[in-house]
Amino acid sequence: MEEYTIKKVLNNNVVVAEKDKKQFILVGKAIGFNSRKGSKISEDKIESIFVKQTEEENNFNKILESVDNKIVGISEEIISFCENELKAKFTEAIHVSLPDHINFAINRIKQGIKIENPFLHELMALYPKEYSLAKKAIDMINKRLDVNLPETEIGFICMHINAALNNKEVSSALSYTKKIGEVMELISKLLKKDFDKNSIEYLRTVTHINFMLQRVIKKKTIKNYLLDSIKKEMYNEYDLAIKIALKIENLFSIKIPEDEIGYIALHIRRLSEI
């Protein structure tokens, strides 16, 4: 059975190790407990391995030098946990971006600086799996590091998880979510209503717009057999739906077909009745 040599202990469950002149981040229950530099770890105790590739190695080494070991360690545990839950391998960048963000967030809290996340509810609706994992991640961080990161941080961690899962920049997830938020603001303005962002109707509408966008982007739009009756019986809602579709087209550079505009009108009717 192959063995790894510990170079640095990050916490009880995470170590930096070496084998065949390559460096690894190893995650496993209690593999760092009572261990020290030079100790050996057999592969049967390892739950997750991150191989430090050349392109990310310099950045990761900077994180190891500038960020508290406990923060890097909990970040690696979160990454391992999320990969196992989602049955996916994340992109390497998260091994740098996540501990960097958590460190930044903790420093902000200590300095009494609050940064709001205005798209928390949109993120909850758009990325429910990632959001649920991010919520557990925040609980882990607060409990293990004895800090009190607020609920708004769930949204930021959610975006990091989504970006790593889909091989894109965190800014891309933020940009998409912001655009969805703009669409919802327009709906609120057109209906002259302030929505409860926790309501099932609000979250359902966000989810519908997201699914509609994915269908249009993938050219898999669905036939709306109620379209003619929607135009006749819900002409006010259909008129508003056209305005919303134009906003979506402008934001996402796509063309919304009439069938999908009809479905938007149905959601407008539902929202107008709450």
Side-chain angles (χ1 to χ4, degrees), residues 13 26-31 43-49 80-81 84:
N13 304 314
L26 308 180
V27 180
K29 192 171 183 179
I31 62 173
E43 58 184 2
D44 63 323
K45 294 183 178 180
I46 300 166
E47 296 173 8
S48 177
I49 299 176
S80 177
F81 168 70
N84 288 334

Side-chain angles (χ1 to χ4, degrees), residues 220-251:
K220 292 183 178 179
T221 55
I222 50 180
K223 182 72 177 172
N224 189 339
Y225 294 101
L226 298 173
L227 186 61
D228 289 338
S229 61
I230 289 171
K231 285 181 176 181
K232 290 177 183 177
E233 297 171 23
M234 290 189 277
Y235 50 88
N236 287 331
E237 288 86 351
Y238 190 80
D239 183 56
L240 295 179
I242 290 173
K243 294 176 181 177
I244 293 160
L246 288 172
K247 178 73 172 180
I248 294 170
E249 289 177 350
N250 182 51
L251 287 171

Side-chain angles (χ1 to χ4, degrees), residues 209-221:
I209 291 170
N210 179 49
F211 286 157
M212 180 201 68
L213 275 166
Q214 298 310 311
R215 288 196 298 270
V216 174
I217 290 168
K218 295 174 183 177
K219 293 181 170 54
K220 292 183 178 179
T221 55

Side-chain angles (χ1 to χ4, degrees), residues 55-70:
E55 56 198 48
E56 286 292 338
E57 192 162 357
N58 288 336
N59 289 333
F60 191 82
N61 286 338
K62 287 178 183 176
I63 289 294
L64 285 175
E65 292 168 7
S66 61
V67 176
D68 189 298
N69 288 346
K70 291 180 181 179

Side-chain angles (χ1 to χ4, degrees), residues 102-120:
I102 293 171
N103 183 58
F104 179 64
I106 290 173
N107 286 334
R108 280 204 324 265
I109 294 298
K110 288 179 178 177
Q111 293 166 13
I113 301 170
K114 291 184 179 180
I115 295 183
E116 297 297 326
N117 189 331
F119 309 112
L120 202 64

Side-chain angles (χ1 to χ4, degrees), residues 85-274:
E85 288 293 310
L86 295 169
K87 294 178 173 57
K89 194 68 178 173
F90 287 172
T91 54
E92 287 182 31
I94 194 172
H95 294 273
V96 173
S97 65
L98 186 59
D100 186 54
H101 173 79
I102 293 171
N103 183 58
F104 179 64
I106 290 173
N107 286 334
R108 280 204 324 265
I109 294 298
K110 288 179 178 177
Q111 293 166 13
I113 301 170
K114 291 184 179 180
I115 295 183
E116 297 297 326
N117 189 331
F119 309 112
L120 202 64
H121 297 88
E122 286 80 8
L123 287 164
M124 191 190 307
L126 293 171
Y127 314 117
K129 289 182 181 179
E130 293 94 321
Y131 192 91
S132 175
L133 291 172
K135 191 173 187 302
K136 292 177 182 176
I138 292 297
D139 289 340
M140 285 173 64
I141 293 166
N142 286 341
K143 183 178 179 180
R144 296 271 293 279
L145 301 183
D146 194 25
V147 293
N148 189 27
L149 293 183
E151 185 184 16
T152 54
E153 277 299 324
I154 298 172
F156 292 117
I157 301 295
C158 171
M159 286 189 288
H160 279 276
I161 295 171
N162 178 262
L165 182 64
N166 295 292
N167 192 20
K168 60 185 182 184
E169 297 290 331
V170 175
S171 58
S172 176
L174 178 58
S175 175
Y176 184 87
T177 306
K178 185 178 179 182
K179 289 176 182 178
I180 296 289
E182 287 184 43
V183 174
M184 294 304 295
E185 283 177 15
L186 176 62
I187 293 173
S188 176
K189 183 179 178 181
L190 291 172
L191 291 179
K192 297 181 175 62
K193 296 185 78 169
D194 291 324
F195 298 117
D196 175 6
K197 290 190 173 184
N198 285 310
S199 69
I200 188 67
E201 290 84 7
Y202 185 90
L203 297 176
R204 185 189 290 130
T205 304
V206 171
T207 303
H208 169 75
I209 291 170
N210 179 49
F211 286 157
M212 180 201 68
L213 275 166
Q214 298 310 311
R215 288 196 298 270
V216 174
I217 290 168
K218 295 174 183 177
K219 293 181 170 54
K220 292 183 178 179
T221 55
I222 50 180
K223 182 72 177 172
N224 189 339
Y225 294 101
L226 298 173
L227 186 61
D228 289 338
S229 61
I230 289 171
K231 285 181 176 181
K232 290 177 183 177
E233 297 171 23
M234 290 189 277
Y235 50 88
N236 287 331
E237 288 86 351
Y238 190 80
D239 183 56
L240 295 179
I242 290 173
K243 294 176 181 177
I244 293 160
L246 288 172
K247 178 73 172 180
I248 294 170
E249 289 177 350
N250 182 51
L251 287 171
F252 294 94
S253 300
I254 56 175
K255 181 66 178 174
I256 307 296
E258 273 197 328
D259 292 294
E260 295 289 359
I261 294 175
Y263 286 119
I264 295 174
L266 289 173
H267 280 276
I268 295 301
R269 168 61 69 89
R270 183 181 288 133
L271 286 171
S272 66
E273 291 174 345
I274 62 173

